[in-house]
Amino acid sequence: RYQLFSQCFEHVCVAIDQIYKRLCRNTSAQAFLSPENPEEPYLEGINYNCVSPGKRFMPMDNLSGGEKSIAALALVFAVNSYRPAPFFVMDEVDAALDNTNIGKVTSYIREQSREDFQMIVISLKEEFYSQADSLLGVYPEFDGGMCSHILSLDLTPFPLT
Amino acid sequence: RYQLFSQCFEHVCVAIDQIYKRLCRNTSAQAFLSPENPEEPYLEGINYNCVSPGKRFMPMDNLSGGEKSIAALALVFAVNSYRPAPFFVMDEVDAALDNTNIGKVTSYIREQSREDFQMIVISLKEEFYSQADSLLGVYPEFDGGMCSHILSLDLTPFPLT
Amino acid sequence: VYLKQLEVENFKSWRGRQVIGPFKRFNCIVGTNGSGKSNVMDALCFALGERAGCLRVKHARDLVHGAHIGVPVPGAAGVAVTFCEVPGEEEEEEEEKTFSRTITGDTSEYRINGTLVALSRYTSELQRLGIIVKARNCFVFQGAVESIAMMKPRERTQLFERIS
Amino acid sequence: VYLKQLEVENFKSWRGRQVIGPFKRFNCIVGTNGSGKSNVMDALCFALGERAGCLRVKHARDLVHGAHIGVPVPGAAGVAVTFCEVPGEEEEEEEEKTFSRTITGDTSEYRINGTLVALSRYTSELQRLGIIVKARNCFVFQGAVESIAMMKPRERTQLFERIS
Ligand SMILES: Nc1ncnc2c1ncn2[C@@H]1O[C@H](COP(=O)(O)OP(=O)(O)OP(=O)(O)O)[C@@H](O)[C@H]1O
Ligand SMILES: Nc1ncnc2c1ncn2[C@@H]1O[C@H](COP(=O)(O)OP(=O)(O)OP(=O)(O)O)[C@@H](O)[C@H]1O
Ligand SMILES: [Mg+2]
Ligand SMILES: [Mg+2]
């Protein structure tokens, strides 16, 4: 049992730094996972810190909202890479991201969805959903109450903006 | 003291419904504040419910992310109207809003900032900040650490998009 | 393995039978506030065995269309998820597998390709496809992104326990 | 009364003395992730008397530029807010009033138009302008919108208590 934990932990430690560098498109970015108790990591907590491009090492509390979102995505993708699920579902994860970071995240997702996992993302931002292979448009119909309907549109024939 | 509480409560009850109707641009929208103990409202909790346009009365839990943001803005503006502060500062309150709701919120803010209070809003969305009178652009400079700088741009000479 | 389509029946804001899909490699669900986008994610999580508490309701029966205003529609309510296994070297056809969960009162019935099975078998078959719902390693719910970064050290250890 | 400008000095990511403004009726602060936008809101709240806990730090000294990486800059650090009172019928000039707060170690010094005052006087003068910082009825911090809608009934009563 402890064996499994350490195996998983070592794998994710390595993966998270690589994924964070790729998400930030910058090799000076760093992501660290450090156990409070290095001998037996499963007994206590695990700390997570990120160094965003151009900045120095600082506690996670000091990061801005957008910087925290990128750090969270790196952790989620790294944890998944240990036992890869066939697909991912994310609901408005781009809410705190500026357009530059949206570009970085969507190109990472396009690369990964070709090889590894299928991606389903709910988004309100055109900068984000214009990068998808297919759009599923949900619209409400009001007759007394509200009920949802759906249209689907294949974007692959159109050139990427 | 109880006198003051009831006066404030009555004022906000009336204001919140009017503000919610104006934020939704729809007179069928409704916002209710109901005390758990109507005789002495200050002793127990106060419930808040909204009926968004086209929908029926339902608990706040069932509303979507964007619907909750509009409900929250109505409450904040209504509470402020009892003892109006000269200005408002809001940090990315448009994160969960779709473009239609952004349009409604920005036109409400434009109307209110003419008469009542000055508005300072941090936003990442062009649909939102293009409606402002003035833009304050913050940019980072990296030399060792990061430090912030600012540029300001008066938008009033340009026509509203 | 990839997700081909979802079929929802009287689930939350989705009335009657509707098919959502087909899904490609990178899909975006778009639509106005309150139109029912997050309900699609709830439908998918529900079909994979997630409990009502994570789907923004208290009981499974609240997931039935109309339950939120006290008038749940009569008849069946549930979600079916269809996966396709990419054919190996020697196989011809893409093999499809449908996992479906229906709401009956406060309990649920689980079926694989239409045959009723126990929840334990349902979960182990999903695990064979790489889907470990309990670990929640492939879902990020609305508004949860920042709290993932700000987890307490202990919570992170628990996350690793669930995955390993 | 309206807010004319902010002057920040070695406050969080703002190094040296910088003026932020002038503010019009409807202002938007824009910029990339991590550039220092929320730090502007922190500066304004700090100048009006908000405590360190609400400004995403533990102690007032952590607000000094460089403190987050352990190298706080020497010299003064603080924020000054200038308000203008719209002239009445008989007055000529717009009357300006500047409220400033500086960080000295873990305590703060408060000044109105350059003259040192006690915190109680500082707060009561702000209250005369309609600014009740304790009530927080005119600030919505990043990520707080949804939790405002989902307050518990008891918390809402407390909100009304603070305002009335
Ligand atoms: N049991 C139910 N039956 C019918 N409709 C329901 C039920 N439960 C919720 N709804 C409807 O679903 C709506 C919320 O849908 P959802 O949360 O999916 O919106 P969304 O598209 O994600 O919006 P946003 O962009 O604001 O997050 C509610 O406003 C309500 O009308
Ligand atoms: N004491 C300090 N001294 C210098 N820089 C600091 C200090 N505290 C925080 N910072 C810097 O401020 C940054 C965060 O700034 P802020 O939260 O204002 O960003 P933001 O513009 O609001 O970004 P977002 O759009 O992602 O919310 C941190 O990344 C850090 O570099
Ligand atoms: Mg949603
Ligand atoms: Mg911010």
Side-chain angles (χ1 to χ4, degrees):
Chain A
R1 204 179 126 60
Y2 297 140
Q3 184 69 20
L4 274 180
F5 184 95
S6 301
Q7 224 176 316
C8 170
F9 182 69
E10 316 266 305
H11 172 92
V12 175
C13 272
V14 174
I16 200 164
D17 189 53
Q18 286 167 352
I19 290 172
Y20 187 65
K21 284 182 178 11
R22 287 175 69 184
L23 271 174
C24 294
R25 306 237 156 258
N26 191 317
T27 49
S28 75
Q30 293 169 2
F32 307 95
L33 287 167
S34 48
E36 290 174 341
N37 174 349
E39 308 312 322
E40 301 176 299
Y42 36 80
L43 287 180
E44 289 183 40
I46 295 173
N47 289 318
Y48 179 33
N49 284 98
C50 285
V51 179
S52 41
K55 299 200 175 174
R56 312 266 285 269
F57 185 96
M58 69 179 88
M60 188 65 94
D61 284 353
N62 286 102
L63 295 187
S64 77
E67 291 169 337
K68 282 181 192 160
S69 292
I70 300 282
L73 290 177
L75 178 64
V76 168
F77 289 137
V79 164
N80 181 65
S81 72
Y82 180 64
R83 276 180 184 268
F87 65 86
F88 246 101
V89 189
M90 307 177 120
D91 196 344
E92 299 190 26
V93 292
D94 57 349
L97 300 181
D98 62 20
N99 291 351
T100 322
N101 276 328
I102 287 177
K104 291 178 183 171
V105 170
T106 49
S107 35
Y108 177 82
I109 288 179
R110 283 184 68 86
E111 285 160 20
Q112 293 305 310
S113 61
R114 299 284 161 269
E115 297 142 27
D116 293 345
F117 43 73
Q118 198 179 5
M119 236 352 183
I120 301 165
V121 186
I122 298 170
S123 170
L124 298 171
K125 297 187 178 183
E126 192 179 339
E127 298 83 0
F128 194 99
Y129 61 73
S130 59
Q131 304 300 308
D133 300 329
S134 128
L135 287 188
L136 297 164
V138 176
Y139 64 94
E141 218 171 70
F142 297 98
D143 56 358
M146 184 279 278
C147 72
S148 303
H149 292 274
I150 195 151
L151 297 166
S152 73
L153 175 67
D154 183 351
L155 286 184
T156 36
F158 304 103
L160 208 59
T161 42
Chain B
R1 194 181 138 63
Y2 297 136
Q3 186 67 22
L4 273 181
F5 185 94
S6 301
Q7 224 177 323
C8 170
F9 182 68
E10 253 124 53
H11 172 93
V12 176
C13 271
V14 172
I16 199 163
D17 189 54
Q18 286 168 352
I19 289 172
Y20 187 65
K21 284 184 179 16
R22 285 175 70 184
L23 270 175
C24 294
R25 308 235 154 248
N26 191 318
T27 49
S28 75
Q30 292 170 5
F32 307 97
L33 287 167
S34 48
E36 288 174 348
N37 174 349
E39 305 312 317
E40 301 177 298
Y42 37 81
L43 287 180
E44 290 183 40
I46 294 173
N47 289 318
Y48 179 32
N49 284 96
C50 284
V51 180
S52 35
K55 298 199 176 170
R56 312 263 287 267
F57 185 94
M58 68 178 98
M60 187 66 94
D61 285 352
N62 286 100
L63 294 186
S64 78
E67 291 170 336
K68 283 180 193 161
S69 291
I70 300 282
L73 290 177
L75 178 63
V76 170
F77 289 135
V79 164
N80 180 66
S81 72
Y82 180 66
R83 277 176 180 271
F87 64 86
F88 246 102
V89 189
M90 304 176 121
D91 196 343
E92 297 189 26
V93 293
D94 57 350
L97 301 181
D98 63 23
N99 291 349
T100 322
N101 276 326
I102 287 177
K104 291 178 183 171
V105 170
T106 49
S107 34
Y108 177 83
I109 288 178
R110 282 182 70 83
E111 284 160 22
Q112 292 304 310
S113 61
R114 300 282 162 266
E115 298 143 26
D116 293 343
F117 43 73
Q118 198 178 5
M119 242 333 181
I120 300 165
V121 185
I122 297 171
S123 171
L124 297 172
K125 298 187 177 183
E126 189 175 341
E127 299 82 1
F128 194 99
Y129 59 74
S130 57
Q131 304 300 310
D133 300 328
S134 131
L135 287 187
L136 297 163
V138 176
Y139 64 94
E141 220 172 69
F142 298 97
D143 55 0
M146 185 279 276
C147 74
S148 304
H149 292 274
I150 195 153
L151 298 166
S152 73
L153 175 67
D154 183 351
L155 287 183
T156 35
F158 305 102
L160 207 62
T161 40
Chain C
V1 174
Y2 71 93
L3 176 72
K4 185 166 178 222
Q5 71 175 35
L6 267 184
E7 195 181 296
V8 285
E9 182 171 19
N10 291 321
F11 182 86
K12 282 203 167 188
S13 56
W14 298 84
R15 197 167 59 202
R17 260 171 190 266
Q18 301 198 46
V19 174
I20 298 172
F23 290 101
K24 297 216 174 298
R25 297 305 294 168
F26 179 14
N27 311 275
C28 271
I29 300 176
V30 297
T32 54
N33 285 145
S35 55
K37 301 183 299 294
S38 298
N39 291 344
V40 172
M41 180 169 179
D42 290 342
L44 182 56
C45 295
F46 171 76
L48 299 177
E50 188 70 89
R51 61 195 162 69
C54 288
L55 306 177
R56 300 182 291 163
V57 291
K58 290 203 181 57
H59 310 289
R61 60 167 179 276
D62 299 333
L63 295 167
V64 176
H65 181 71
H68 69 311
I69 50 177
V71 276
V73 294
V79 181
V81 182
T82 305
F83 292 104
C84 271
E85 298 215 47
V86 187
E89 299 305 298
E90 43 324 313
E91 282 146 22
E92 288 302 324
E93 281 301 312
E94 278 193 337
E95 198 199 317
E96 278 191 16
K97 208 168 196 168
T98 300
F99 291 81
S100 69
R101 182 179 176 189
T102 44
I103 305 166
T104 39
D106 245 349
T107 59
S108 298
E109 286 178 2
Y110 299 86
R111 292 182 169 76
I112 296 179
N113 291 338
T115 322
L116 201 66
V117 294
L119 173 58
S120 54
R121 183 171 149 90
Y122 194 81
T123 329
S124 65
E125 284 295 320
L126 282 171
Q127 205 147 343
R128 233 172 44 69
L129 296 180
I131 300 165
I132 323 163
V133 184
K134 287 288 156 270
R136 268 182 239 118
N137 60 332
C138 56
F139 303 119
V140 181
F141 291 100
Q142 189 164 0
V145 167
E146 250 188 68
S147 51
I148 290 173
M150 300 306 289
M151 259 188 218
K152 296 200 181 31
R154 274 248 163 261
E155 290 169 343
R156 238 172 252 123
T157 314
Q158 283 159 7
L159 174 68
F160 280 96
E161 297 248 341
R162 283 205 306 265
I163 300 288
S164 54
Chain D
V1 175
Y2 70 92
L3 175 71
K4 186 165 174 223
Q5 69 176 36
L6 268 182
E7 197 182 299
V8 286
E9 184 170 21
N10 292 323
F11 182 87
K12 285 204 165 188
S13 56
W14 297 85
R15 198 166 61 198
R17 256 172 198 265
Q18 302 199 48
V19 174
I20 297 171
F23 291 101
K24 298 220 177 298
R25 297 304 297 167
F26 179 14
N27 310 275
C28 271
I29 299 177
V30 297
T32 54
N33 285 146
S35 54
K37 300 183 300 292
S38 298
N39 291 342
V40 173
M41 180 169 179
D42 290 342
L44 182 58
C45 294
F46 172 77
L48 299 177
E50 189 68 89
R51 60 195 164 70
C54 287
L55 306 177
R56 301 183 289 161
V57 293
K58 292 203 181 56
H59 309 288
R61 58 167 180 271
D62 300 333
L63 295 167
V64 176
H65 182 71
H68 69 312
I69 51 177
V71 274
V73 292
V79 181
V81 181
T82 304
F83 292 104
C84 272
E85 295 208 58
V86 189
E89 298 306 294
E90 29 349 298
E91 283 147 24
E92 287 303 322
E93 281 302 310
E94 276 194 341
E95 197 198 320
E96 277 189 21
K97 207 167 195 162
T98 302
F99 291 79
S100 71
R101 181 179 176 188
T102 44
I103 306 166
T104 41
D106 245 345
T107 60
S108 298
E109 287 178 1
Y110 300 86
R111 293 184 168 77
I112 297 179
N113 291 336
T115 320
L116 201 68
V117 293
L119 175 57
S120 54
R121 169 95 194 279
Y122 194 80
T123 327
S124 66
E125 284 296 316
L126 282 171
Q127 206 147 343
R128 230 172 45 71
L129 295 181
I131 301 165
I132 320 163
V133 183
K134 286 288 159 274
R136 275 191 227 109
N137 60 331
C138 56
F139 302 122
V140 181
F141 291 101
Q142 190 164 357
V145 167
E146 241 182 78
S147 50
I148 290 172
M150 299 307 287
M151 260 187 218
K152 293 198 185 40
R154 275 247 161 257
E155 291 171 334
R156 237 171 251 127
T157 314
Q158 283 160 8
L159 174 69
F160 282 96
E161 297 247 339
R162 283 204 307 263
I163 299 289
S164 54

